[in-house]
Amino acid sequence: MDIYFAPMEGMTSPLLRRTHAACFGGCEKYYSPFISTNEAISLNGKESEDVDHEQNKGLNLIPQIISNSAYQSALYIKLLSEKYGYDEVNINLGCPSGTVVSKGKGSGMLRDPEAMDAYLGSLGEELEKLSGQGIKIPKVSIKTRIGFYEPGEHIRITRILKAHPAYQVTVHPRTRKQMYCGDVNPDAFAHMYDELRSAGIGVVYNGDIKRPEDFERIAERFPELDAVMIGRGLLADPSLARRIKGGEAATASEYIDYMERILDGYIDKIGVEKFILAKMKDLCNFMKPVFSGNDKGFKDMCKADSVEAFRVCMKQYIRNSKMYEV
Ligand SMILES: Cc1cc2nc3c(=O)[nH]c(=O)nc-3n(C[C@H](O)[C@H](O)[C@H](O)COP(=O)(O)O)c2cc1C
């Protein structure tokens, strides 16, 4: 079963993805954070860099878009195929952020199943038109949730997904209301897994895989998954995919090497100390679940007010904490 590195806006930059692949590996695909479509049908500097092949050398990167317009979506899919050379594009129907939802995008689509049905129907037509013009259309995959307000909404969502079959659907088994907290709902996921697979649609599980045991549990119950997608678990433990595949857990030295490569990459790229520190401290908040017994070290790292002080505190924190004992 494959392992995909989830898209995480602000966190999974090309630098982090490349460094992860070079230091630990184990992921068959990496996803870019979403690109929001607009009338210009072009990517801004950051988006363009995010999907640029030079920036993602050696990675199997899948770009992701988010939209409420089938017309714009089709043209972005065409752009990502023709100009950037991608043969798969992922559509985000799950982002829970208020600004996204208020525009009827991301999980905003799940609040209005008729709009979701119309969007996917029109997208299919737009893509067919492009294909009729001899344009090569990439595979379309979807990332979604089990509902907006209530888990029971997954029945209707599944019906709509089956009516407009994507090549693969990733399901995060929480509602939008839950954001990224509270219990996942494996039973709602089980229904979607059975129904989507019976329609020939590949299924990917995403949510709360933090240790190899979490993966084992999911793989045992859902053996025909195409893949599992992991986000926070891989930010905390970059060796998680390797461990799942039978490899070793990261040592403290390996972890330090990984963090220093990312730090040095941001020093080169960003240049401004306070922005470099902000990026690194965001990452530190995600790495916390792997380390224990060193609250003071964590506080010192978060208080560091220069890049070099941060480097020293980060190394001390990793060396002087317990790893994998949480
Ligand atoms: C900071 C942050 C940014 C995220 N950005 C995206 C995004 O751009 N596109 C997307 O599909 N999901 C995004 N997600 C959701 C993750 O891809 C993933 O679905 C979620 O973290 C649950 O998986 P996990 O429990 O393995 O972390 C984001 C999540 C977080 C916490």
Side-chain angles (χ1 to χ4, degrees):
M1 192 177 296
D2 286 352
I3 301 178
Y4 300 165
F5 203 136
M8 298 178 86
E9 172 58 32
M11 302 308 305
T12 57
S13 60
L15 170 65
L16 184 134
R17 296 192 296 256
R18 279 196 316 266
T19 311
H20 178 265
C23 294
F24 297 102
C27 292
E28 278 73 19
K29 290 183 184 175
Y30 291 76
Y31 287 70
S32 78
F34 64 72
I35 293 165
S36 196
T37 73
N38 62 58
E39 286 165 3
I41 320 292
S42 64
L43 306 192
N44 65 31
K46 178 179 171 286
E47 292 164 346
S48 186
E49 187 179 320
D50 212 24
V51 299
D52 180 65
H53 282 287
E54 273 300 303
Q55 295 289 331
N56 294 283
K57 242 187 191 155
L59 306 182
N60 185 9
L61 183 75
I62 312 299
Q64 184 187 67
I65 61 167
I66 196 163
S67 183
N68 54 15
S69 157
Y71 176 71
Q72 287 178 10
S73 299
L75 293 179
Y76 271 77
I77 291 170
K78 174 175 178 262
L79 179 76
L80 286 162
S81 164
E82 284 192 330
K83 183 164 174 196
Y84 295 90
Y86 284 97
D87 63 7
E88 179 184 340
V89 175
N90 185 260
I91 297 183
N92 182 320
L93 298 183
C95 176
S97 123
T99 43
V100 164
V101 166
S102 67
K103 295 180 191 133
K105 299 179 178 184
S107 66
M109 284 266 178
L110 309 181
R111 183 169 55 182
D112 185 353
E114 275 159 30
M116 176 179 166
D117 194 20
Y119 168 78
L120 291 176
S122 306
L123 178 60
E125 286 165 16
E126 294 292 342
L127 292 175
E128 240 168 66
K129 267 192 238 161
L130 293 174
S131 173
Q133 293 162 20
I135 292 165
K136 188 169 161 270
I137 300 301
K139 291 183 283 191
V140 172
S141 57
I142 289 175
K143 181 163 179 277
T144 191
R145 291 176 174 252
I146 56 172
F148 191 86
Y149 301 106
E150 299 297 334
E153 294 164 26
H154 74 275
I155 306 272
R156 189 159 176 203
I157 291 169
T158 308
R159 235 180 270 137
I160 296 169
L161 291 169
K162 280 175 73 177
H164 311 286
Y167 132 81
Q168 190 180 63
V169 174
T170 298
V171 181
H172 178 64
R174 286 193 173 96
T175 59
R176 186 269 171 171
K177 205 166 122 192
Q178 291 178 283
M179 308 296 279
Y180 295 113
C181 312
D183 292 339
V184 290
N185 190 323
D187 294 333
F189 181 83
H191 172 84
M192 295 183 80
Y193 169 80
D194 288 337
E195 288 292 312
L196 294 172
R197 289 196 59 259
S198 73
I201 300 169
V203 181
V204 178
Y205 175 91
N206 165 242
D208 292 359
I209 296 185
K210 297 174 191 143
R211 297 162 307 169
E213 303 89 277
D214 301 324
F215 169 83
E216 297 301 338
R217 213 184 41 251
I218 296 296
E220 196 173 311
R221 180 156 178 198
F222 306 109
E224 303 298 331
L225 284 171
D226 282 2
V228 297
M229 177 185 276
I230 308 179
R232 291 165 295 183
L234 275 166
L235 289 186
D237 175 9
S239 66
L240 181 56
R242 184 173 85 183
R243 290 171 74 201
I244 288 172
K245 292 178 174 169
E248 293 297 314
T251 60
S253 322
E254 263 188 310
Y255 208 122
I256 289 171
D257 175 49
Y258 170 71
M259 291 296 283
E260 283 206 288
R261 286 194 198 201
I262 295 177
L263 176 60
D264 290 336
Y266 282 135
I267 292 172
D268 279 353
K269 186 173 159 41
I270 304 177
V272 182
E273 195 151 42
K274 74 172 181 191
F275 296 133
I276 301 165
L277 285 172
K279 275 270 176 217
M280 293 308 293
K281 289 177 185 179
D282 281 348
L283 185 54
C284 289
N285 281 320
F286 282 101
M287 72 195 247
K288 218 173 164 188
V290 162
F291 299 93
S292 58
N294 190 3
D295 289 351
K296 179 170 181 318
F298 189 78
K299 278 191 198 133
D300 290 346
M301 187 168 64
C302 292
K303 275 196 278 181
D305 58 4
S306 73
V307 163
E308 286 319 311
F310 175 84
R311 189 189 299 273
V312 171
C313 293
M314 182 265 292
K315 288 183 179 177
Q316 278 174 356
Y317 175 64
I318 294 174
R319 283 209 190 98
N320 300 335
S321 301
K322 292 181 193 146
M323 282 176 82
Y324 302 107
E325 287 188 20
V326 191

